[in-house]
Amino acid sequence: MPPQTVDTPDDTAPHRAHHPAGETPFDRATAHLDAPLAVVDLQAFDANAADLVRRSKGKPIRVASKSVRCRALLERVLARDGFAGIMSFTLAESLWLARSGFPDILLAYPSVDRAGFAELTGDARLAAAVTVMVDDPAQLDLIDAARPAGGAGEEVRVCLELDTSYRLMGGKVRVGARRSPLRTPDRLAALARTVVRRPGFRLVGLMAYEGHVAGVGDDVAGKPVFSRAIRMMQAAARKELARRRWEAVRAVRAVAPRLEFVNGGGTGSVQHTAAEAAVTEIAAGSGLYVPRLFDNFRSFSGRPAALFAQPVVRRPGPGVVTVLGGGYPASGVAGPDRLPVPYLPAGLRYDPQEGPGEVQTPLLGPAADGLRIGDKVWFRHAKAGELCERFDRLQLIDGDRVVDTVPTYRGEGHTFL
């Protein structure tokens, strides 16, 4: 039997129009660097920051650190007019940022970190910088139990969270994240009274995150009926929440007249939340990097600022290349929208039988024939800061050159979640 032949890519074949590395600004900027690597386009980052400020209509934006996860970029955006404070995601992260000199940190989620609370209540500087989230008296008990011997320690700044979910059919249908159990103004006011009467705590804020508006695209390509349904739901949800949030703020201020802030919003709802008189500041973070999940909004469009590159390591045949790694799914309900998307060169797609893999990812499409071993393929992550859990540093690009290399949280030795 004659030997079997294998269809092997031929780099010299005349029909293969090679697109050399350096074709895009990202390739030119990183030509001296090997992939895998992650970059942030500073021009896009700054343009996105300016757009968030424009949409916030003069109300300060508190930066959601989970969507950035890089101290250098947190410092960069907070140096701009229109941004003030950080919204953090764990107590350990909050304390680390406070020790690093960030003066105003709102922990957006309740914590049961006893060691962290012991540190917080034992250090006046940290206690002045960090505000913790509470939606249950049991959380106050845990904080008190962690205080230094004798039960004293520093006063703890407290924020309450309002449940923003939109409910229909008498509550049988629920749209929105399952977060706080505090839904009505009366329940918020009751917990506010508990905080105010309890020694060692000071109620300073109220938060309400409308994720079903801020994080759900209303203009999904190829799904016009679905998109119209989302817009109708969001319009009704915004109206209901604006009324309930106003009543909740009034009820809490009756208990704590010196409430310092009322936080609301998210990247996808900045302009809507900013229009509410009861809200004093807006939370946003994903809009700085603009991951792929934020391509589906009618009210704004951003510039992709955070990308990662994987190197071509194989060319199994015509119309296909294989890159190293790439299987970086985002959190949330598992589905195609949680996967990174091949971005540059345009025209690449996943093999439906493999998808993005743990150690290798086949990519199909005519653009594959223009790639050679060692070339970079650029991807956009589905979500923002989760990209930084995969890379220990970010190459900061201005135009077609790398102007700085900065560590991510992971690069500084921290994986808070």
Side-chain angles (χ1 to χ4, degrees):
M1 177 180 292
Q4 298 291 314
T5 59
V6 179
D7 183 9
T8 305
D10 178 3
D11 285 342
T12 64
H15 68 281
R16 298 187 185 279
H18 175 60
H19 304 293
E23 184 176 32
T24 71
F26 307 113
D27 289 311
R28 290 193 292 272
T30 63
H32 61 296
L33 299 172
D34 290 332
L37 57 83
V39 304
V40 169
D41 178 344
L42 292 179
Q43 293 181 16
F45 182 90
D46 290 344
N48 294 334
D51 186 63
L52 287 170
V53 170
R54 176 189 62 80
R55 291 197 288 132
S56 72
K57 303 174 183 178
K59 292 186 177 179
I61 298 172
R62 185 180 291 274
V63 184
S65 63
K66 74 177 181 64
S67 300
V68 179
R69 304 194 199 202
C70 171
R71 280 199 302 169
L73 290 175
L74 288 173
E75 291 169 353
R76 183 183 184 92
V77 72
L78 286 170
R80 298 179 63 96
D81 289 341
F83 290 85
I86 290 174
M87 176 178 282
S88 60
F89 58 97
T90 73
L91 182 56
E93 179 212 14
S94 305
L95 297 174
W96 177 62
L97 291 173
R99 289 193 298 269
S100 301
F102 292 95
D104 178 9
I105 302 154
L106 168 61
L107 175 57
Y109 306 87
S111 176
V112 292
D113 180 354
R114 290 174 293 181
F117 282 126
E119 183 178 2
L120 178 71
T121 56
D123 187 313
R125 185 171 67 92
L126 296 180
V130 176
T131 301
V132 304
M133 189 63 61
V134 169
D135 59 29
D136 190 307
Q139 295 153 356
L140 302 175
D141 296 338
L142 187 143
I143 295 171
D144 272 341
R147 289 181 182 277
E154 300 297 328
E155 184 177 63
V156 175
R157 293 168 54 86
V158 169
C159 178
L160 306 183
E161 182 172 2
L162 171 69
D163 168 48
T164 66
S165 62
Y166 182 48
R167 301 190 182 183
L168 303 166
M169 299 176 63
K172 293 179 181 179
V173 177
R174 182 181 184 280
V175 181
R178 295 182 183 276
R179 292 176 63 104
S180 172
L182 306 175
R183 179 169 180 79
T184 66
D186 288 346
R187 291 196 64 184
L188 272 169
L191 184 55
R193 285 190 288 272
T194 297
V195 174
V196 167
R197 293 169 181 168
R198 191 155 177 165
F201 296 94
R202 178 155 57 101
L203 181 57
V204 299
L206 176 65
M207 186 184 100
Y209 170 60
E210 55 269 33
H212 51 297
V213 178
V216 178
D218 63 352
D219 191 18
V220 182
K223 297 183 177 181
V225 175
F226 173 80
S227 297
R228 282 196 296 272
I230 291 294
R231 289 194 289 272
M232 291 175 62
M233 177 277 291
Q234 291 179 339
R238 288 197 304 267
K239 183 177 180 180
E240 184 276 335
L241 177 60
R243 174 191 57 76
R244 188 156 49 89
R245 180 154 40 198
W246 172 266
E247 293 172 354
V249 171
R250 184 173 59 180
V252 172
R253 285 196 185 279
V255 178
R258 296 183 180 180
L259 207 64
E260 296 175 13
F261 64 85
V262 177
N263 181 282
T267 289
S269 65
V270 169
Q271 67 276 19
H272 302 298
T273 310
E276 293 185 34
V279 175
T280 66
E281 63 176 38
I282 311 297
S286 295
L288 296 169
Y289 286 172
V290 186
R292 64 168 297 198
L293 282 177
F294 285 84
D295 289 345
N296 302 321
F297 286 82
R298 280 203 316 173
S299 60
F300 75 99
S301 60
R303 293 170 54 183
L307 308 172
F308 69 92
Q310 303 296 110
V312 174
V313 293
R314 286 176 171 166
R315 296 182 58 201
V320 57
V321 292
T322 301
V323 299
L324 181 69
Y328 306 155
S331 60
V333 179
D337 66 338
R338 300 291 145 167
L339 300 180
V341 61
Y343 182 53
L344 295 170
L348 294 172
R349 65 184 187 279
Y350 293 124
D351 182 335
Q353 297 185 54
E354 294 195 46
E358 179 184 10
V359 290
Q360 72 163 37
T361 298
L363 297 170
L364 311 179
D369 290 334
L371 293 168
R372 291 178 176 170
I373 301 297
D375 284 352
K376 297 181 178 77
V377 175
W378 296 90
F379 294 78
R380 294 173 65 198
H381 204 274
K383 298 185 78 172
E386 292 182 20
L387 169 66
C388 294
E389 297 301 328
R390 299 287 183 169
F391 293 90
D392 62 4
R393 68 194 70 182
L394 298 171
Q395 309 296 331
L396 304 186
I397 292 178
D398 189 353
D400 60 359
R401 63 192 183 96
V402 173
V403 295
D404 203 357
T405 301
V406 296
T408 61
Y409 279 13
R410 174 179 172 175
E412 296 201 66
H414 297 287
T415 51
F416 294 109
L417 275 181

